[in-house]
């Protein structure tokens, strides 16, 4: 079987019969590039390299559209016709997940924790945060920030004990937020 000789054709190597002339007035160069006549149009202009650059610089996708049409396009088309919303307006699930965990010391896998355990956790949290009931949210936040700064594991070179203490502080903080006035 003989090998066929393969010659690569480049865009500028057009045959005389297929060559198109640039659509720009008074230009008789070979048109190598096609450009749409308008948005979503199936009709095209054919330009030489020099004139396609000029055409691309002048191209305006929003030509002939009103300000409202431009705004709606920018709002909806950015994410494939899905309207954008601020991050604060997140769509929440119908299912409400509760990620509050029972504290490590009092967790019992066989049964649910009793009210006495919750009272003990509350008193332990209050003593750790150095708070007395009733307390405000501002007092809680201030105490929490001080405890985190004081006991953060990064400040103490990655100490494992400080890491577990910080987890305990975070869990206590979650529960105390529910009780705060």
């Amino acid at each position: 079987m003989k090998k066929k000789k393969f010659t690569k054709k480049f865009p500028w190597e057009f045959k005389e019969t297929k060559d198109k002339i640039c659509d720009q007035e008074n230009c008789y160069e070979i048109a190598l590039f096609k450009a749409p006549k308008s948005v979503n149009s199936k009709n095209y202009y054919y330009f030489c390299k020099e004139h396609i650059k000029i055409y691309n610089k002048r191209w305006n996708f929003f030509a002939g559209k009103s300000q409202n049409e431009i705004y709606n396009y920018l709002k909806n088309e950015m994410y494939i016709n899905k309207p954008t919303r601020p991050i604060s307006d997140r769509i929440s699930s119908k299912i409400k997940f509760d990620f509050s965990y029972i504290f490590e010391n009092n967790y019992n896998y066989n049964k649910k924790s009793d009210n006495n355990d919750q009272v003990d956790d509350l008193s332990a949290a209050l003593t750790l945060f150095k708070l007395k009931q009733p307390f405000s949210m501002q007092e809680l936040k201030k105490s929490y920030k001080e405890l985190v700064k004081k006991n953060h594991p990064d400040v103490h070179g990655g100490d494992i004990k400080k890491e577990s203490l910080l987890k305990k502080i975070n869990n206590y903080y979650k529960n105390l937020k529910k009780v705060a006035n």
Side-chain angles (χ1 to χ4, degrees):
M1 187 173 190
K2 290 184 178 181
K3 288 185 180 180
K4 292 183 180 178
K5 187 175 181 183
F6 179 75
T7 56
K8 190 171 184 178
K9 295 281 186 179
F10 293 100
W12 56 85
E13 296 177 357
F14 286 110
K15 292 181 180 176
E16 288 282 334
T17 57
K18 290 187 178 181
D19 288 346
K20 292 192 177 194
I21 304 295
C22 182
D23 284 339
Q24 186 66 32
E25 289 182 31
N26 299 325
C27 179
Y28 301 105
E29 296 287 323
I30 297 173
L32 301 174
F33 305 96
K34 70 179 186 177
K37 289 188 175 185
S38 64
V39 180
N40 299 327
S41 174
K42 294 183 181 181
N43 299 327
Y44 294 96
Y45 292 117
Y46 292 91
F47 292 116
C48 63
K49 187 174 183 178
E50 181 183 332
H51 291 115
I52 193 70
K53 287 180 184 180
I54 296 168
Y55 180 82
N56 286 338
K57 281 184 183 179
R58 288 187 290 179
W59 174 259
N60 184 0
F61 182 80
F62 298 109
K65 293 188 180 184
S66 70
Q67 196 66 30
N68 284 337
E69 289 174 328
I70 294 170
Y71 174 74
N72 286 334
Y73 177 83
L74 292 175
K75 180 181 173 189
N76 298 327
E77 194 66 23
M78 188 76 138
Y79 296 100
I80 311 166
N81 289 322
K82 293 181 182 176
T84 58
R85 294 178 187 86
I87 294 174
S88 61
D89 296 344
R90 290 187 181 154
I91 298 171
S92 61
S93 172
K94 291 180 181 178
I95 302 169
K96 299 296 180 192
F97 296 99
D98 185 21
F99 291 107
S100 60
Y101 299 102
I102 299 172
F103 304 111
E104 295 172 8
N105 298 341
N106 297 324
Y107 193 80
N108 186 351
Y109 289 98
N110 298 329
K111 64 174 187 171
K112 292 184 179 178
S113 61
D114 296 338
N115 287 339
N116 293 338
D117 291 341
Q118 291 176 355
V119 170
D120 291 341
D121 288 340
L122 181 63
S123 62
L126 288 171
T127 53
L128 180 65
F129 278 77
K130 297 178 185 173
L131 294 172
K132 293 181 181 177
Q133 278 189 319
F135 57 90
S136 68
M137 194 64 186
Q138 290 176 338
E139 294 172 321
L140 178 64
K141 284 182 181 180
K142 182 180 177 186
S143 181
Y144 172 74
K145 287 180 181 179
E146 290 172 3
L147 282 171
V148 168
K149 284 182 183 177
K150 183 179 173 185
N151 297 303
H152 201 281
D154 290 345
V155 175
H156 298 284
D159 188 12
I160 297 173
K161 291 180 183 177
K162 293 291 183 179
E163 187 177 340
S164 64
L165 179 61
L166 186 65
K167 287 179 183 177
K168 186 185 269 188
I169 290 168
N170 287 331
N171 285 333
Y172 283 161
Y173 179 68
K174 283 181 192 175
N175 288 339
L176 287 174
K177 281 195 315 189
K178 296 174 185 174
V179 179
N181 294 333

